[in-house]
Amino acid sequence: MKNEKWKIILLFPLILNAKSFDQLIKLIDNSNLVKIYQKNIQIQKEKFNQAKAKNYGKVDLEYDYSHFFENPTVNFDLVSPVAAENAGTAPLYPLIYKEFDTKMKMGDKNNFIGSLVYSYPLFTGFAITEVINIQKLNVIKSKLELDNIKRNLILKTAKLYAGIYALNKKIEALKEAEISLLSAKAKAEALFKEGLINKSTLDEIDAKCYEINANISKTIAEKKSLLNILSYILNTKINSVSNIPIEKLKNENILNRPDVKMLETALKITQNYIKLVKSNFLPKIYFQAGIKKEATNIGLDKNNYQNVDKSFVALSFQYNLFKGGEDTSKLQEAKLAKLKTFIYFRDYLNKVKTTYKNDLLMLKALKKRLFAAKKEIEARKSYYEYIKAKFEQGLADVTDLNSAIAKLAQSKAKKDYIKSQIFFWTLKTNIDGGD
């Protein structure tokens, strides 16, 4: 009795630190994988903001300074008439023309240019609108990707939780078997002292105790391994888990699954991309207005060679007449991409529906196995009590007793394992069904 009290005292900190499944689910947001996908949402939002910025035009401020090694000049070729030497004797003699090279200074060595220009796309064939729509859908898609990651992490957490719970129960069953063997050993020692059994019987019980002890150590190591994996996934140290919760089967709503919604969003993106490619077949019109000055001083208020103020308003019209069929090919590619995504979406939908149906079949089979396991425990327990009584009377072999104890422990562990799997498959069925 004292030993049992000490066991409870030693296990008390573990009981306090044991995490329920609901507590573990709340820790999923702490996973590094979730944090990565949260950053991806932020990235997509920034891309969406970049796309929207195209709708407001842009303002560029520019200030340039250049220094020439020589003053800019322009050459003029001038022709001037010159009188002939005998002009006095022959007044009607043709005039002689002579060429002169003349250079004129056209600028200064120091030149300053300042401009403030506003540019706005008046019409781009709806290209900007479609880019904004695509980026908006990408934000939605990235949020659905995060939801799907959480969905998968819930499934992984549930699987590990169920595994750890089953191993805990297996350890309990093995320890019960060990206690039963130690009790049998005490009886066997008493029978040995009376000369009713030989020493080999005691050795057989000891061997079985060592075997069970080794099995307990192996199972504890397996449990710690699963706890380490769970701690890694949740990015939080998990030392133990509590009992499995009772999950109820919910109604199917597969179209509500985040991965299905992701594909629906991807399909919408391909449609918007087709519209974006079609914009290449329409003209582009751009507007520009600017305040611009060119001067020979840093204050942009002096220029002895040309106008200081070169402010302007401009309108640009662009329309591609021929590109070798590139735009037509891009449009065909976009249509094929949409068709491919649609086929994949229909195939994926069929696959998840099949998975859901198989989940229901597995769950049904597990429930039948649980019923059988409970009946098996009743039978194994009854058989163990019978063999134990026979052994204490010296009428049963130790091998039969060892076998009865081991099989009872195995049947108890099996029952709890099936219970853990029913929990996992109920949760999986609900999640696969769109819960």
Side-chain angles (χ1 to χ4, degrees):
M1 191 68 183
K2 289 182 179 179
N3 289 336
E4 293 298 322
K5 287 181 178 179
W6 277 109
K7 283 182 181 179
I8 293 170
I9 292 169
L10 290 171
L11 289 171
F12 190 66
L14 292 175
I15 293 169
L16 286 178
N17 292 325
K19 299 290 184 182
S20 69
F21 183 69
D22 288 339
Q23 288 175 320
L24 293 184
I25 293 303
K26 291 176 182 177
L27 293 173
I28 283 178
D29 283 342
N30 197 47
S31 167
N32 284 326
L33 193 58
V34 169
K35 292 177 182 178
I36 289 169
Y37 276 82
Q38 285 173 339
K39 294 299 179 186
N40 190 46
I41 292 173
Q42 294 175 5
I43 291 170
Q44 293 302 324
K45 284 182 177 178
E46 293 304 324
K47 287 183 177 181
F48 176 53
N49 291 334
Q50 292 166 28
K52 286 195 299 182
K54 301 290 183 182
N55 246 347
Y56 306 117
K58 64 174 183 173
V59 178
D60 294 315
L61 176 66
E62 186 176 351
Y63 190 92
D64 298 317
Y65 165 71
S66 60
H67 177 79
F68 299 126
F69 293 126
E70 296 181 0
N71 285 315
T73 59
V74 62
N75 293 332
F76 295 96
D77 291 332
L78 301 177
V79 179
S80 176
V82 179
E85 291 180 1
N86 56 354
T89 57
L92 299 178
Y93 192 85
L95 293 174
I96 298 174
Y97 292 87
K98 187 175 182 181
E99 294 184 358
F100 297 90
D101 291 332
T102 302
K103 285 187 178 181
M104 185 177 293
K105 185 178 178 182
M106 295 298 294
D108 198 75
K109 288 184 178 180
N110 295 311
N111 292 274
F112 300 86
I113 301 175
S115 63
L116 182 67
V117 180
Y118 174 68
S119 305
Y120 183 76
L122 289 176
F123 183 72
T124 59
F126 308 105
I128 292 176
T129 301
E130 295 309 324
V131 169
I132 291 171
N133 289 337
I134 288 171
Q135 291 304 329
K136 185 178 180 180
L137 288 170
N138 278 330
V139 172
I140 295 171
K141 186 167 172 281
S142 63
K143 290 179 179 179
L144 290 169
E145 285 175 349
L146 176 60
D147 290 341
N148 194 49
I149 285 296
K150 287 184 177 181
R151 167 184 170 271
N152 289 328
L153 286 175
I154 289 172
L155 284 173
K156 286 182 180 178
T157 301
K159 191 170 186 178
L160 289 166
Y161 191 94
I164 294 166
Y165 170 83
L167 291 174
N168 278 337
K169 291 300 180 180
K170 183 179 178 181
I171 292 167
E172 286 181 13
L174 288 171
K175 286 182 176 179
E176 284 180 11
E178 187 178 35
I179 291 169
S180 297
L181 277 174
L182 292 174
S183 176
K185 183 181 178 182
K187 295 287 183 182
E189 286 174 344
L191 293 172
F192 174 71
K193 288 178 181 179
E194 293 176 7
L196 298 175
I197 59 173
N198 54 34
K199 191 174 181 302
S200 62
T201 301
L202 291 175
D203 292 339
E204 180 67 22
I205 294 175
D206 282 337
K208 194 64 180 179
C209 282
Y210 288 126
E211 181 187 335
I212 289 177
N213 192 264
N215 204 352
I216 290 171
S217 298
K218 176 175 175 275
T219 308
I220 289 173
E222 290 173 356
K223 184 186 79 169
K224 286 182 178 179
S225 177
L226 293 185
L227 284 169
N228 288 337
I229 296 171
L230 186 60
S231 299
Y232 164 73
I233 289 174
L234 300 178
N235 197 28
T236 306
K237 182 63 178 175
I238 308 298
N239 294 314
S240 60
V241 301
S242 57
N243 291 329
I244 53 173
I246 298 172
E247 288 288 326
K248 293 183 179 179
L249 202 59
K250 298 177 183 178
N251 294 330
E252 173 264 329
N253 186 14
I254 286 176
L255 293 178
N256 194 45
R257 282 177 51 156
D259 51 347
V260 173
K261 286 183 175 179
M262 275 169 53
L263 284 175
E264 287 180 334
T265 307
L267 197 58
K268 291 177 183 177
I269 290 173
T270 58
Q271 180 59 43
N272 283 103
Y273 186 71
I274 289 174
K275 293 178 181 178
L276 177 62
V277 174
K278 284 181 177 179
S279 69
N280 294 329
F281 295 94
L282 297 173
K284 310 288 189 296
I285 302 173
Y286 300 95
F287 169 78
Q288 253 191 0
I291 299 171
K292 184 177 181 181
K293 288 186 177 183
E294 293 186 13
T296 56
N297 67 333
I298 195 169
L300 299 176
D301 57 4
K302 179 183 177 183
N303 195 332
N304 296 323
Y305 306 98
Q306 53 184 317
N307 292 335
V308 173
D309 191 356
K310 292 192 175 181
S311 300
F312 65 92
V313 174
L315 199 64
S316 172
F317 177 86
Q318 298 176 8
Y319 184 70
N320 176 253
L321 294 176
F322 181 70
K323 224 177 190 179
E326 180 183 346
D327 292 334
T328 304
S329 179
K330 282 184 177 180
L331 180 59
Q332 186 62 22
E333 179 190 353
K335 288 180 178 178
L336 289 170
K338 179 187 174 183
L339 181 60
K340 173 187 171 183
T341 305
F342 178 75
I343 294 170
Y344 181 78
F345 172 70
R346 298 303 304 175
D347 180 72
Y348 190 82
L349 200 57
N350 289 333
K351 185 176 81 171
V352 297
K353 285 179 179 178
T354 302
T355 301
Y356 178 72
K357 290 177 183 176
N358 289 340
D359 289 346
L360 290 171
L361 291 173
M362 175 63 78
L363 199 53
K364 188 177 180 181
L366 284 169
K367 288 179 179 179
K368 288 183 177 180
R369 285 181 61 193
L370 180 62
F371 177 80
K374 288 178 179 178
K375 293 297 181 182
E376 181 183 340
I377 289 175
E378 290 177 7
R380 295 287 184 196
K381 193 171 183 180
S382 175
Y383 179 72
Y384 161 69
E385 295 292 344
Y386 169 74
I387 293 296
K388 179 185 175 186
K390 287 286 186 182
F391 177 78
E392 289 175 354
Q393 295 171 8
L395 300 175
D397 188 76
V398 69
T399 304
D400 294 333
L401 180 63
N402 287 346
S403 176
I405 291 172
K407 286 181 179 179
L408 178 59
Q410 288 171 6
S411 62
K412 287 181 178 179
K414 183 167 68 174
K415 182 204 73 173
D416 288 310
Y417 171 77
I418 295 170
K419 280 178 64 178
S420 73
Q421 291 306 295
I422 287 175
F423 153 72
F424 170 71
W425 282 94
T426 303
L427 184 74
K428 184 177 185 298
T429 304
N430 287 333
I431 290 178
D432 286 348
D435 175 54

